[in-house]
Amino acid sequence: MKKQWNRILLSGAMIGLLTACHHTPTPVGQPDKVYDFDHKVHYEQTKFNDEHYFLKIRSDDYAHFTQQSVFLLRHSEKLCQGMNAQLTLQKGVQAFERLPTHPRAYQPDLQVEVKCVSK
C-alpha cells in the first residue's frame, strides 16, 4: 500500500514539473497578450529587442483611463530596467473631463512605442 502511494506522489510531482516547464516564450516581434492584475489592464506587448517595445492597451470604460495611464508609466519603467523610458504615443489618447455631459464615442486602444535610452 505504501509503495502505491509513493508511485502516485512521484507521478504527481513529475506531472507538475512537466506542466511548469511547458511555457514557451513569445517569439521576438510577435504580440504577447497579457493581463495586469494590479491595474486590471488587458494589453498586448510586442518585444523587438531589449530596448524597443510596442504596447497596445485595450480600451474599456472612461473611469479606468487613469489606471491605464499609471500602468503605462510603471510598466515602461519596469521594461527599461534602470534606463530612461522614451514613450511615443501612436493612438488612443482620451480627453479627460471630470464630469462628462454626453456619452463618449468608442475610443481606440492606447498604442505606445517604448524605447529605452541611456541616462
Side-chain angles (χ1 to χ4, degrees):
M1 182 75 168
K2 189 171 182 170
K3 265 186 167 180
Q4 186 179 7
W5 279 108
N6 286 342
R7 274 193 204 147
I8 291 172
L9 288 175
L10 183 61
S11 297
M14 289 184 68
I15 289 171
L17 285 173
L18 290 173
T19 303
C21 296
H22 180 69
H23 175 71
T24 55
T26 305
V28 173
Q30 296 295 318
D32 186 19
K33 294 183 181 182
V34 189
Y35 180 74
D36 184 273
F37 290 94
D38 294 335
H39 297 94
K40 298 181 176 96
V41 173
H42 288 275
Y43 67 100
E44 290 181 18
Q45 176 176 306
T46 305
K47 179 179 180 178
F48 299 110
N49 59 43
D50 288 338
E51 298 173 353
H52 188 199
Y53 300 87
F54 185 77
L55 300 174
K56 184 176 182 181
I57 300 173
R58 281 191 37 208
S59 177
D60 58 6
D61 64 348
Y62 174 75
H64 197 205
F65 176 67
T66 53
Q67 279 185 294
Q68 293 171 342
S69 303
V70 171
F71 162 78
L72 178 62
L73 295 173
R74 288 180 178 164
H75 191 66
S76 299
E77 179 82 14
K78 182 177 144 187
L79 288 173
C80 289
Q81 301 175 7
M83 298 176 79
N84 287 332
Q86 180 182 30
L87 306 175
T88 306
L89 300 171
Q90 303 291 333
K91 200 187 263 189
V93 177
Q94 301 177 16
F96 189 78
E97 298 174 22
R98 186 166 188 271
L99 297 171
T101 56
H102 58 285
R104 286 189 162 56
Y106 170 75
Q107 294 288 335
D109 294 339
L110 181 60
Q111 297 179 21
V112 180
E113 185 176 4
V114 179
K115 290 185 180 177
C116 304
V117 294
S118 57
K119 291 184 176 182

